[in-house]
Amino acid sequence: MIQNFQAKLKEYAHLLVEVGLNVQPGQTPCIESCIDYAPLTRLCVSACYDRGARNVVVNYTDDAVTREGFLRADEAVFSEYPSYQKARFDWFLEQKSPRLSFTGSDPELFKGVDPARIQARRKASGPPTRPYFDALTANKFQWCVAANPTLAWAEKAFPDKKGQDAVDALWEAVFSVCRVTGDGKAVERWRQVVDTIARRAEILNGYQFQSLRYTNSLGTDLTVLLPDNHMWLGGSEKSAAGVEFMANIPTEEIFTAPRWDGVNGRVCAALPLALDGNLVKDFYLDFRDGRIVDVHAGEGEEVLRRAIDTDEGAHYLGEAALVPCDSPIRNTGILFYETLFDENASCHLAFGQAYASCVKGGEDMDQEAQKAAGLNDSITHVDFMVGTPDLSIVGTTHGGEEIPVFVNGNFAF
């Protein structure tokens, strides 16, 4: 049994609402949750009202029901998107409701499900919800993604433990990397983390690199061109209304957007990827002029290929993120099988949608202008981990000077 569990859970909830969402008086936050996460969700609802929320809307799902649907529902269902679902997203967009969403599902929830059904659902839901998620990635309102351990996830992350012992071990790990101790000071600790990340981002922005070259012993040799006026971001961000928030808790990353047409070479994954309820292992991607031209995986290759085939934009990169190997999550030695955590233990890339804020003034551009500025356009965004203890990243300035950014898996500055 975890010591002071309720005190830690309450502290965690307040961290997500106060620092993650930074709910403002009069706002109506929406919480996307699962019935398994109800205790934490209820604490977050209370914390929102403590911050002066006008109302709090919770949307619960059930992983078991979702899996059963993917296995047994009529084939046509996955190519449909109900109008009431679209109306819900349209309403939240109109309200500019802060969005808190939780992860914690079984990393292999959809193992055995026909990947074509998952792909069809992604394609059907993408266009109707596009305005909402475009606004989210442009930070038109606050949003935050956080985690809630479950039994299935815990037993995957801790294969030597079973039942409650595994769940307790995962909660302890989550609390640790989220800097939650039960003393009520997690919010203060995260203010310091944000300051450290911001200082490094400022250094990177000062260089305005033309390109980055990634190499390591796995076989990665990738050159990534960066857009003019690109921005390195990390730690906290600001909404269109000027409200500071944190999109991920925990986070250790500093990220920007590659030029969508400027990526060449091969990148090899450093960690397994939990994708669409399946695990993809031992994979690499080859790029030519920005586009993924070859894919190979030791396990889960079809799932990966279908994700890349979601739309044309999914064949291009939308994010490049830097995370030192010497970071709290990596130092736990735990493979979480959850992207929210594993991406913050490793440098990572993402194929699909770019964040508009990664180019100066990008939030105010339309899609055509964003594309011209170098930002990728897609209805999906999939992070995968590429950082290793021997990763080298060298930045080249527009004047041709080569600057070490990463040496042996860590920042060179």
Side-chain angles (χ1 to χ4, degrees), residues 82-332:
S83 58
Y84 77 88
Q85 290 279 30
K86 180 182 185 303
R88 184 171 66 91
F89 281 107
D90 289 345
W91 187 85
F92 285 134
L93 177 55
E94 180 184 339
Q95 298 295 313
K96 294 184 171 56
S97 296
R99 173 190 171 96
L100 175 61
S101 57
F102 289 112
T103 65
S105 297
D106 180 353
E108 296 185 285
L109 178 65
F110 297 138
K111 187 174 183 178
V113 171
D114 182 355
R117 290 185 163 215
I118 298 171
Q119 183 187 49
R121 171 59 56 82
R122 185 189 294 112
K123 288 184 174 182
S125 64
T129 61
R130 183 66 186 270
Y132 176 84
F133 286 104
D134 278 353
L136 182 146
T137 58
N139 295 340
K140 298 300 183 182
F141 48 85
Q142 310 105 277
W143 58 282
C144 180
V145 182
N148 188 117
T150 57
L151 176 60
W153 176 24
E155 291 186 341
K156 177 65 68 175
F158 292 90
D160 59 330
K161 298 181 185 295
K162 296 296 180 184
Q164 192 61 44
D165 287 343
V167 175
D168 286 350
L170 185 53
W171 265 119
E172 288 282 27
V174 168
F175 287 148
S176 175
V177 299
C178 290
R179 296 164 172 85
V180 171
T181 66
D183 65 358
K185 296 182 179 179
V187 170
E188 297 174 25
R189 286 187 282 271
W190 274 100
R191 301 294 184 201
Q192 297 172 1
V193 173
V194 168
D195 288 345
T196 299
I197 293 175
R199 285 196 296 271
R200 278 189 169 142
E202 186 177 359
I203 293 172
L204 288 164
N205 283 325
Y207 282 117
Q208 275 297 297
F209 289 120
Q210 183 180 53
S211 66
L212 301 174
R213 184 183 179 192
Y214 295 67
T215 56
N216 66 15
S217 59
L218 285 180
T220 291
D221 191 345
L222 190 75
T223 299
V224 176
L225 296 184
L226 301 177
D228 292 338
N229 299 313
H230 64 270
M231 298 290 294
W232 289 94
L233 306 170
S236 66
E237 301 176 54
K238 285 189 177 180
S239 72
V243 180
E244 188 175 13
F245 69 96
M246 289 186 67
N248 293 162
I249 292 182
T251 185
E252 306 290 340
E253 68 175 309
I254 301 171
F255 65 95
T256 193
R259 271 200 62 89
W260 66 270
D261 57 352
V263 182
N264 288 279
R266 172 173 292 182
V267 63
C268 301
L271 295 170
L273 171 64
L275 176 62
D276 294 335
N278 292 269
L279 290 179
V280 183
K281 299 181 179 179
D282 302 323
F283 65 95
Y284 67 77
L285 305 176
D286 288 339
F287 292 82
R288 185 183 306 125
D289 296 330
R291 198 175 197 277
I292 298 171
V293 294
D294 193 21
V295 178
H296 173 78
E299 180 180 325
E301 183 172 313
E302 184 183 2
V303 174
L304 179 59
R305 286 183 179 275
R306 286 189 179 273
I308 293 169
D309 285 340
T310 296
D311 61 12
E312 180 61 17
H315 291 78
Y316 298 82
L317 291 186
E319 180 185 2
L322 306 180
V323 180
C325 277
D326 185 17
S327 62
I329 296 177
R330 188 62 167 254
N331 289 339
T332 65

Side-chain angles (χ1 to χ4, degrees), residues 372-396:
L375 297 173
N376 192 37
D377 178 40
S378 176
I379 62 172
T380 190
H381 179 99
V382 177
D383 298 283
F384 60 97
M385 286 58 76
V386 302
T388 58
D390 68 342
L391 178 66
S392 167
I393 303 178
V394 176
T396 300

